[in-house]
Amino acid sequence: MAAGERDLMGGFAKGLRVLEAFGPERQRLSITEAAETSGLDRATARRCLLTLADLSYADYDGKFFSLTPKILRIGHSWLSATPLPVLLQPHLDQLSERVGHSASASILDSTEIVYIARAAQKRVMSINLMPGSRLPAYSASMGRVLLAALSDAEIDVILAATQFKAHTPLTLIEPSALKAEIARVRERGYAVIDQELEIGLCSIAVPVRNDRGRVVAAINVGAPAAILPAAELPAHCLPAMLELQARLTPLLP
């Protein structure tokens, strides 16, 4: 049922915008910074931040606000309510052991992917990935297979909303080149990333479909490029990943 405008809570929506203003590079925000990042006026951002602090979702030192661990309750509510992470975790553990490299699962959230499960052999990225971590969809292997499951019109909307950044000299940031690569991913059924997120890291991903054929998640294997170059990823990892893909489909409603 679609909600009418009078059914919506504007104050709640503004509070969520302030929450989303925080991130890995914005862990501490002043009122002015929160207002600028969220697109709200300063007075509204201030009220939202003070409310978060009063409810213990944020700390306030008199100048800067920072989120507290209590905020994890919000994300944990989703992780506990969906069966996907629990269902996928043992399969990722087995995949990781079989190929000898870290394996992960994620879903698409607008322009980003969100990690929902992970089996790490060793840390291959400078950032510490875990359930709840986010990466830009356009430059992640799981992001590209999730984008490939969408219509061209949906892809256009997401790319138009994306803030492109060249993480490395190899990162694809030209929308037309990305759309061509996503089309290739759709055709062959998997995506390979060669050091586009971070120098020294490559990965391969495949989609996860439910029993109705709808893509509900993606799984990937990430490896150091010096040990397993991108060109060798399909031969080394794809058979095991496709077996897992087929095994998961009948388990997902």
Side-chain angles (χ1 to χ4, degrees):
M1 180 178 67
E5 188 173 342
R6 287 189 296 180
D7 297 318
L8 303 180
M9 295 178 62
F12 184 55
K14 291 171 183 176
L16 291 174
R17 285 168 63 179
V18 169
L19 268 181
E20 291 176 347
F22 291 91
E25 298 177 358
R26 300 185 301 273
Q27 297 182 19
R28 298 170 71 245
L29 292 175
S30 67
I31 293 171
T32 300
E33 291 168 338
E36 291 174 351
T37 305
S38 64
L40 300 171
D41 61 75
R42 192 178 185 281
T44 300
R46 176 180 177 274
R47 289 196 300 272
C48 291
L49 288 166
L50 289 174
T51 301
L52 289 170
D54 184 65
L55 295 174
S56 300
Y57 285 106
D59 282 329
Y60 181 41
D61 64 7
K63 183 176 181 181
F64 293 102
F65 291 83
S66 57
L67 298 180
T68 68
K70 187 178 179 182
I71 203 72
L72 292 172
R73 294 183 184 181
I74 298 173
H76 182 70
S77 298
W78 181 87
L79 287 172
S80 345
T82 179
L84 263 179
V86 173
L87 189 151
L88 291 175
Q89 188 61 58
H91 294 280
L92 288 180
D93 293 337
Q94 294 171 14
L95 175 64
S96 179
E97 287 295 325
R98 180 171 173 182
V99 300
H101 296 283
S102 298
S104 306
S106 72
I107 58 171
L108 186 66
D109 181 20
S110 185
T111 64
E112 299 176 311
I113 60 167
V114 182
Y115 278 68
I116 59 172
R118 181 163 168 80
Q121 286 280 328
K122 61 180 70 175
R123 187 165 165 179
V124 295
M125 293 188 72
S126 61
I127 59 174
N128 187 23
L129 295 173
M130 63 188 71
S133 295
R134 290 173 174 267
L135 290 176
Y138 71 92
S139 54
S141 59
M142 289 189 286
R144 288 189 184 166
V145 295
L146 291 168
L147 289 172
L150 304 178
S151 69
D152 289 341
E154 290 171 317
I155 294 170
D156 286 340
V157 170
I158 289 176
L159 293 183
T162 297
Q163 294 184 343
F164 294 104
K165 174 184 176 182
H167 309 287
T168 79
L170 299 173
T171 309
L172 279 181
I173 57 172
E174 170 56 43
S176 60
L178 281 165
K179 288 178 66 175
E181 177 58 24
I182 291 168
R184 285 190 287 270
V185 169
R186 184 185 291 151
E187 182 178 350
R188 68 191 180 201
Y190 66 91
V192 173
I193 294 290
D194 186 8
Q195 304 180 81
E196 291 192 45
L197 270 171
E198 186 172 303
I199 291 296
L201 173 71
C202 56
S203 65
I204 182 171
V206 298
V208 174
R209 295 180 176 85
N210 64 14
D211 58 2
R212 297 187 302 278
R214 184 172 69 88
V215 172
V216 295
I219 55 174
N220 89 335
V221 171
I227 296 175
L228 187 59
E232 298 177 15
L233 280 172
H236 184 82
C237 301
L238 197 55
M241 297 178 75
L242 293 178
E243 285 179 23
L244 174 54
Q245 182 189 60
R247 196 160 64 245
L248 288 171
T249 293
L251 303 177
L252 298 172

